[in-house]
Amino acid sequence: MNVNLVLTAVCLCWASISCLAQDSYSKEYRNALRYGAKVKITVAVSDSNASPVSNATVNVFFEQKDGNQYKVDGKTDPLGMHVVEGMTRSSVGGSVRKEGYYRSVFRLPYATGQERIDGDRWLPWNPTIPVVLREIRNPIPMYVKWVDWVEIPVDTDVGFDCVIGDLVKPLGRGEHPDILFHISTESTTKGRPKRLILKSGEDDAGFAVKGVHASSAFKSDHFAPMDGYSSQVEAQMLPLIGGGEMVDSLLGKTSYLAFRSRISHGEDGSVTQANYGKIYGPLKFGHSEKPEVAVVRFLYYFNPTPNDRNIEFDGKNNLFKPGWNSKLNWSREP
């Protein structure tokens, strides 16, 4: 059978299905996707305690038929509300900001593959979109580092010192293992990395998986948890399409990892001292040119003050000098 003929037939089949799908939509829906339709929304802004935030600046963006967007600015009223109307092709979104708070974003899609149109208006008409502005409380200097593909021997525990920012001796300059990395190649072909295990090197140290605040510029909680830490967490690594680096199943973009280390105990065995930090996902790792070595990349924040669970970085006073590397494309705290 001629392969080219088969591929041509498949393409024609998919094209026919696509055309039939578009033809099944109403004229109003197809015109809205092409030229835009009216939209009206109410943005309801509150703080972390569900109290209305007045006089917040709301920027709303509408998608135009040429692919560009136009912006409409406004302020919330004493009840934290802001009503806006416009024309958009498929979605409406924007951001909210006010001094003393972290910026938040929102988005409402309309072109979802289902008809949501009434004449020249998108439905639902005038939905209320809740937006939470998270307070700027007590940002502090921290040790912050983007560890970019550090080499780690496989199938063994390797310590990482968050204050030095390096593997512990003899592999690096580190003194204290705040985190132990273990990259397993068990049951894999050619000794390729399979699992990334993060371990605590001390009793009562460990990790807690927490959900990110996805809409806020400040993604983590303000404080690391008091308890609920596990002595180890494990990430199964999933290869990207086309090979190359691997992404983890532990954090991704929806979670972060709070951790504590440098534990001291009282005579009764209770924790009397600890340091706290966080790791943002995704964790990534892969194989190197050396079969006995894998590579890991991750972003961490570490508070050097004992017993201070604050993990709200101030965004500018990195205790590592010279600080941020603006050439790297990675998320920063505000």
Side-chain angles (χ1 to χ4, degrees), residues 159-162 164 168 174-179 202 261-263:
F160 187 90
D161 188 321
C162 291
I164 303 299
V168 298
E175 301 283 350
H176 187 95
D178 293 292
I179 303 169
E202 311 162 90
S261 63
R262 308 191 180 223
I263 306 295

Side-chain angles (χ1 to χ4, degrees), residues 23-40:
D23 289 343
S24 67
Y25 294 137
S26 67
K27 180 180 179 181
E28 289 81 7
Y29 186 76
R30 285 183 277 122
N31 284 339
L33 293 177
R34 178 175 298 178
Y35 304 111
K38 295 177 182 178
V39 63
K40 180 179 181 180

Side-chain angles (χ1 to χ4, degrees), residues 8-27:
T8 301
V10 171
C11 292
L12 289 174
C13 180
W14 277 111
S16 299
I17 293 173
S18 177
C19 290
L20 288 173
Q22 290 194 19
D23 289 343
S24 67
Y25 294 137
S26 67
K27 180 180 179 181

Side-chain angles (χ1 to χ4, degrees), residues 216-248:
S216 177
F218 180 53
K219 302 299 183 185
S220 76
D221 293 336
H222 290 81
F223 294 91
M226 178 72 73
D227 48 31
Y229 293 91
S230 301
S231 60
Q232 72 176 47
V233 290
E234 179 179 322
Q236 295 285 344
M237 295 298 172
L238 308 174
L240 297 177
I241 296 175
E245 67 188 43
M246 307 177 80
V247 296
D248 74 280

Side-chain angles (χ1 to χ4, degrees), residues 47 81 84 98 203 205 224 235 249 263 270 288:
D47 61 19
M81 303 290 188
V84 63
K98 185 178 181 179
D203 292 339
S249 60
I263 306 295
S270 63
S288 70

Side-chain angles (χ1 to χ4, degrees), residues 33 52 111 118 152 157 171 183 191 277:
L33 293 177
D118 180 17
I152 293 181
D157 293 345
L171 297 174
I183 298 179

Side-chain angles (χ1 to χ4, degrees), residues 61 80 136 139 198 207 244 251:
F61 295 87
I136 298 174
L198 276 64
F207 311 90
L251 300 182

